[in-house]
Amino acid sequence: MRVSRMFGTVIGAAIVAATVVTPLASAQPSAGSSTGSTGESDFYLPPNPLPAGSPGDVLRTEPSPLALSVPGIGGTLPGNATRIMYRSTDSNDQPNAVTGTYIDPAAEWTGPGPRPLVVLAPGTQGQGDQCAPSRMLNRVITYTPPLGFMVEYEVLAAYSLLSQGYGVVITDYDGLGTPGAHTYVNRAAEAHAVLDAVRAAQQLPGTKISGDGPVAAYGYSQGGGAAAAAAELAEEYAPELDLVGTYAGAPPADLKQTLEQVDGTILTGVIGYTLNGLLKSDPDLQLIVDENINDAGKAMLGQVANQCVGETILTVGLHRTQEYTKTGEPMSVVLDRIPRAQEILAQNKIGERTPNAPVLSQSGTSDDIVPHGQAVQLAGAWCGRGATVQLSSAQVPAIVPGSGAGHLIPDILGLGEAQNWIKDRFYGVPAPSNC
């Protein structure tokens, strides 16, 4: 009870802190994803060349002072954090370096067996390096004039998981924090980053988790897609992990459908994130982009490459992609007639493989960002392959379509169900299924 009250104090402090925002120094150099790490330390610059090793190998660590923490009887609440850089694999099966944060919990583990680990796949943070969760956990709230406002909202899920005694590792994904473009919603790169974060956390010395204990993946929106991709790649890519379950909320499993839905909403700018990430993974797409995107579109791609999501909402939100194409057609229409673009969208579709552990998927019936229908299709595809899947559809009415409310509200309403479902997996309760 004492630990729970202390966690309430920490989360409450986040609300208070939201009213006391200190602007970042205007002299701080841009930390955009095209330039790599600046203004903080050289931690985010990977060794060049990468040393020989295996996916999940820890390349470096350093203490990570959490912005929201308080002293407690059993140690600092919610726990002691370590910034990590670990070896992973990009979408082209080449070794890369990814950063993240492991938080060793102060709360006791009172469940059966060894203390579990949850890998948290973050929702959309942005594409600039300054948006990496491993940086934002040290600040929580940042503001760079005139529009660069960002809140690390994943502290709510992370701290709630920590309060239950789980170890928590949070990945930054490929290219977020480290040099090069963040490969936003890239199925393979995100799945690898999630699974290798687990391997890295289990290698760290002196933690309260074991090197082979039970693991769950957890994410919503972009994080839901990353967790879902990891769930269906785990048996092939990381078969040694004891993955007992995955929570995948509002997963953008079909990028084509998501592209059509998000166009013209407050999150139109994530289409820019996606194109920038695809250009990193497939440089041959540059010719296609040059042939179809106008000057305004090219300027938008350059702009969002250095932004966090808050700024992208304020600068690109509610615009439509027809403003950015040479023909004046929506980008989804342009991509429909480009075979190479269709191939890449198909390569990034989630649902072509089978999870080897139970999955809970949540989706709002009126989600105005990630279509509910493609979440239903994903669950159906997995069920058809024999997976254990519970699809939870939040019956939320449409509220100001395009505002993101239909996407955000199910996340908030589903938090209790998601975390109780994860707890049941760690306690050995048989997983429900409505296949």
Side-chain angles (χ1 to χ4, degrees):
M1 293 292 292
R2 184 181 297 112
V3 169
S4 298
R5 287 195 295 270
M6 292 299 285
F7 270 98
T9 300
V10 172
I11 292 175
I15 299 172
V16 176
T19 64
V20 189
V21 179
T22 303
L24 297 179
S26 59
Q28 177 175 318
S30 171
S33 55
S34 62
T35 58
S37 174
T38 56
E40 194 164 348
S41 73
D42 290 334
F43 184 90
Y44 292 88
L45 298 177
N48 187 16
L50 286 180
S54 301
D57 284 355
V58 178
L59 299 174
R60 64 173 64 126
T61 66
E62 69 177 16
S64 179
L66 299 175
L68 296 179
S69 63
V70 294
I73 295 175
T76 301
L77 296 174
N80 293 316
T82 301
R83 196 180 343 264
I84 58 175
M85 176 182 283
Y86 58 93
R87 188 183 177 96
S88 190
T89 309
D90 67 16
S91 59
N92 296 313
D93 292 325
Q94 297 300 306
N96 64 345
V98 176
T99 51
T101 303
Y102 171 69
I103 307 175
D104 211 36
E108 294 182 5
W109 168 242
T110 58
R115 185 187 295 262
L117 172 67
V118 177
V119 54
L120 197 160
T124 299
Q125 306 287 298
Q127 203 156 42
D129 285 342
Q130 72 276 15
C131 321
S134 64
R135 294 178 186 266
M136 287 297 303
L137 287 168
N138 304 145
R139 301 165 179 167
V140 180
I141 300 171
T142 62
Y143 172 62
T144 303
L147 300 174
F149 180 73
M150 180 63 184
V151 177
E152 185 45 77
Y153 54 86
E154 291 292 6
V155 295
L156 297 177
Y159 282 29
S160 180
L161 293 164
L162 288 161
S163 73
Q164 299 174 67
Y166 316 144
V168 173
V169 62
I170 308 169
T171 181
D172 289 341
Y173 300 127
D174 174 34
L176 193 56
T178 52
H182 166 40
T183 48
Y184 182 76
V185 296
N186 182 291
R187 178 190 60 80
E190 290 189 341
H192 297 158
V194 168
L195 295 169
D196 288 328
V198 174
R199 287 167 159 162
Q202 290 183 336
Q203 288 183 22
L204 293 174
T207 68
K208 297 174 183 176
I209 60 171
S210 68
D212 57 0
V215 175
Y218 188 103
Y220 189 88
S221 194
Q222 180 191 1
E232 64 174 26
L233 267 186
E235 187 169 23
E236 170 191 337
Y237 184 76
E240 80 282 5
L241 299 183
D242 182 16
L243 183 65
V244 299
T246 295
Y247 163 62
D254 188 324
L255 295 187
K256 184 177 184 298
Q257 291 187 37
T258 304
L259 169 63
E260 294 170 353
Q261 175 109 330
V262 78
D263 197 346
T265 71
I266 65 166
L267 284 175
T268 298
V270 302
I271 298 173
Y273 297 165
T274 304
L275 282 179
N276 285 334
L278 291 176
L279 284 169
K280 178 187 176 183
S281 298
D282 298 273
D284 58 311
L285 285 175
Q286 188 64 59
L287 179 61
I288 295 175
V289 170
D290 291 342
E291 289 175 345
N292 292 279
I293 305 299
N294 62 23
D295 288 344
K298 293 172 185 176
M300 181 271 290
L301 293 179
Q303 182 180 32
V304 302
N306 296 303
Q307 291 180 341
C308 296
V309 65
E311 186 173 8
T312 300
I313 288 172
L314 294 174
T315 56
V316 184
L318 303 182
H319 285 265
R320 295 190 175 274
T321 56
Q322 63 195 42
E323 302 171 34
Y324 305 129
T325 62
K326 289 184 178 179
T327 62
E329 300 168 297
M331 202 169 291
S332 58
V333 174
V334 174
L335 294 177
D336 273 344
R337 59 172 176 263
I338 301 173
R340 178 60 180 146
Q342 293 303 305
E343 290 175 11
I344 291 173
L345 291 174
Q347 290 168 5
N348 283 286
K349 188 173 183 179
I350 304 169
E352 305 297 321
R353 297 155 188 81
T354 308
N356 64 348
V359 178
L360 168 66
S361 181
Q362 291 179 343
S363 176
T365 55
S366 298
D367 193 320
D368 53 345
I369 302 298
V370 180
H372 175 66
Q374 52 94 64
V376 175
Q377 291 171 11
L378 173 63
W382 279 343
C383 286
R385 294 187 175 87
T388 300
V389 182
Q390 180 76 10
L391 175 62
S392 178
S393 298
Q395 306 293 323
V396 178
I399 302 173
V400 192
S403 68
H407 186 64
L408 176 62
I409 291 173
D411 181 21
I412 298 170
L413 295 179
L415 183 65
E417 178 190 29
Q419 299 218 356
N420 286 333
W421 186 91
I422 290 289
K423 180 179 180 180
D424 283 346
R425 303 293 73 75
F426 289 142
Y427 277 75
V429 178
S433 175
N434 54 8
C435 284

